Amino acid sequence: MKETEKIMLRVTSNNLKNLTLMVAFLCLSASGTVAQSTVQNDGAVVEQVPCAPNTISTYEQYLESSKRRFADEVEAAKRAALHGNRAANDAAKMPDNLTAHLLSKEEFERQTAYTGFECRRIKYMSDGLKVVAFIWKPKNTEGKKLPLVIVNHGGNGDFGKLTPWVGFGNYRYVSSGFVVIGPQYRGVDGGEGSDEFGGADVHDLMNVIPLAKSLGYVDMNNIFLAGASRGAMMIFLALKNNIPVNAAAVISGGGDLIRGAKDFPGMVGVFKNRIPDFDKRGEEALRERSALYWTDKINTPVLMLHGTADWRVNAGEALDLAQKLQESGKTYELIIYANDGHGVPLHRADADRRIIEWFKMHMK
């Protein structure tokens, strides 16, 4: 058996028949229905400035910050395990030595030395609100039409928001010839409005389409969606609302917020604070945001990647969603990484490679 076959499970729409896999982990993401915005200036760029410079300048700083984030996640998993989160028991056992899973010094220097791209922080209009986003693109776009990846972040409010140098300026996408736009959603990073966790804020993703068209260098026939955790919920909601994209890829995205609320009670507070009228129509609102209940409306090829030690989003939910997509006759692929956590940090390079291959496979 090859090494890659030992560490992960791969499921496609062609080979899932009677799959049974026991996983005891948790969920955070989901999906729902929103009315289309009708504001005429949706997508119009009203402000833009160069991104702030990268504060991580040395390999040692990169290692230190990466290890610190990973250690914080392991500690959070340990605390969750003490409160009865069974999935967190496995997450807390993830290796303390993260170095083998990070960029080598050579790769770090290659990515940080890459000068062929630029980053802009913009504000654009969505439902009459000024919403923040980042654009990462090759410097030379004159006379070109480039494919676009819309990157959707996880979290809620300012927790989990995008930063200018996430993924070294989305190096893997930009160096592969893509333009990248990352919406922050309303109410985030100084944007107007309020985060509704999959409510009207889905318009902020939908309105990236007219924004992209206005730029002049985006190939509107080749647009893709990528996102993790809550970002997966936003992607499924946009697909439900027929956003015109070729394919999507989600990392650590579940599909059933109702189950997720039971598995991860800490999310209930987020739902109450973010979702309008949650106290009156909580289960209905969660169902609207949960792709598991309306896979018949997902008509775009979806690549899903998940780790079995993910205590924030139950890996079993990805399997349940794959089963429903299979039953609905949809095109999908599911990659399960053994003993990896939320955001698949131990296999992120492999995940990025697979995502880019998935997008290129679905280019027109």
Side-chain angles (χ1 to χ4, degrees):
M1 182 178 290
K2 296 179 181 179
E3 182 62 25
T4 54
E5 294 173 334
K6 294 178 182 178
I7 64 171
M8 67 185 182
L9 169 69
R10 180 178 182 182
V11 183
T12 73
S13 47
N14 293 322
N15 70 11
L16 177 59
K17 298 299 181 183
N18 297 310
L19 176 66
T20 302
L21 183 65
M22 298 303 294
V23 281
F25 311 112
L26 290 182
C27 169
L28 180 150
S29 292
S31 307
T33 303
V34 290
Q36 291 291 331
S37 172
T38 57
V39 179
Q40 291 185 352
N41 65 342
D42 280 340
V45 177
V46 293
E47 297 178 27
Q48 60 174 308
V49 295
C51 293
N54 191 359
T55 57
I56 297 179
S57 59
T58 69
Y59 186 62
E60 289 69 29
Q61 288 176 323
Y62 160 70
L63 290 179
E64 181 181 353
S65 64
S66 299
K67 291 176 181 178
R68 183 172 59 250
R69 287 195 304 270
F70 188 76
D72 289 345
E73 180 68 8
V74 171
E75 286 303 311
K78 290 179 180 178
R79 291 193 297 270
L82 292 175
H83 289 86
N85 185 329
R86 291 180 297 171
N89 287 319
D90 292 305
K93 297 174 184 176
M94 288 195 295
D96 293 330
N97 182 9
L98 187 62
T99 305
H101 304 282
L102 297 175
L103 298 179
S104 66
K105 186 173 183 179
E106 179 183 15
E107 183 61 24
F108 169 85
E109 292 176 347
R110 178 184 296 110
Q111 294 193 22
T112 53
Y114 184 60
T115 58
F117 81 104
E118 60 183 1
C119 173
R120 308 285 293 182
R121 185 181 187 272
I122 69 167
K123 287 188 177 180
Y124 67 102
M125 300 305 298
S126 181
D127 294 353
L129 302 171
K130 293 180 181 179
V131 181
V132 176
F134 289 104
I135 299 176
W136 298 268
K137 70 178 188 68
K139 281 186 177 179
N140 182 14
T141 57
E142 185 175 356
K144 296 180 180 180
K145 294 288 186 179
L146 302 174
L148 168 68
V149 178
I150 304 174
V151 172
N152 298 272
H153 68 78
N156 65 95
D158 280 340
F159 172 71
K161 69 181 180 181
L162 294 169
T163 61
W165 294 96
V166 60
F168 297 95
N170 279 289
Y171 170 86
R172 294 188 187 279
Y173 291 138
V174 178
S175 64
S176 297
F178 292 91
V179 172
V180 180
I181 298 178
Q184 295 282 49
Y185 320 135
R186 61 191 59 186
V188 177
D189 198 18
E192 296 175 344
S194 299
D195 179 358
E196 296 185 1
F197 205 79
D201 46 3
V202 177
H203 293 161
D204 307 335
L205 168 51
M206 303 293 291
N207 289 328
V208 172
I209 299 299
L211 162 62
K213 186 175 182 179
S214 73
L215 297 176
Y217 50 77
V218 172
D219 180 355
M220 299 303 293
N221 292 314
N222 285 298
I223 301 178
F224 306 90
L225 299 176
S229 194
R230 180 262 182 88
M233 176 187 68
M234 303 296 282
I235 287 173
F236 286 128
L237 282 166
L239 296 180
K240 182 182 182 182
N241 284 274
N242 299 312
I243 189 170
V245 299
N246 304 44
V250 301
I251 297 176
S252 301
D256 187 358
L257 281 182
I258 296 174
R259 172 183 169 180
K262 297 176 182 177
D263 289 340
F264 192 178
M267 282 303 298
V268 175
V270 174
F271 300 155
K272 288 182 177 180
N273 290 333
R274 300 293 180 189
I275 298 176
D277 297 324
F278 182 79
D279 289 336
K280 296 180 180 179
R281 50 186 301 275
E283 183 169 326
E284 181 183 0
L286 295 183
R287 189 180 295 268
E288 289 172 353
R289 290 161 169 78
S290 300
L292 186 73
Y293 300 100
W294 31 264
T295 51
D296 59 309
K297 299 183 182 300
I298 299 175
N299 298 309
T300 301
V302 179
L303 170 65
M304 299 183 291
L305 307 104
H306 219 112
T308 63
D310 188 338
W311 63 278
R312 295 181 182 274
V313 180
N314 193 331
E317 293 204 22
L319 290 166
D320 289 345
L321 184 55
Q323 183 70 56
K324 280 290 188 178
L325 291 169
Q326 177 76 16
E327 293 171 359
S328 299
K330 305 302 181 177
T331 300
Y332 72 92
E333 184 165 320
L334 171 64
I335 303 294
I336 298 288
Y337 295 104
N339 304 316
D340 207 345
H342 195 60
V344 296
L346 306 184
H347 298 91
R348 194 55 189 263
D350 183 75
D352 288 345
R353 176 184 61 80
R354 290 177 180 276
I355 290 171
I356 291 171
E357 289 177 353
W358 180 257
F359 290 164
K360 289 185 175 181
M361 183 171 67
H362 289 93
M363 279 190 182
K364 296 178 181 178

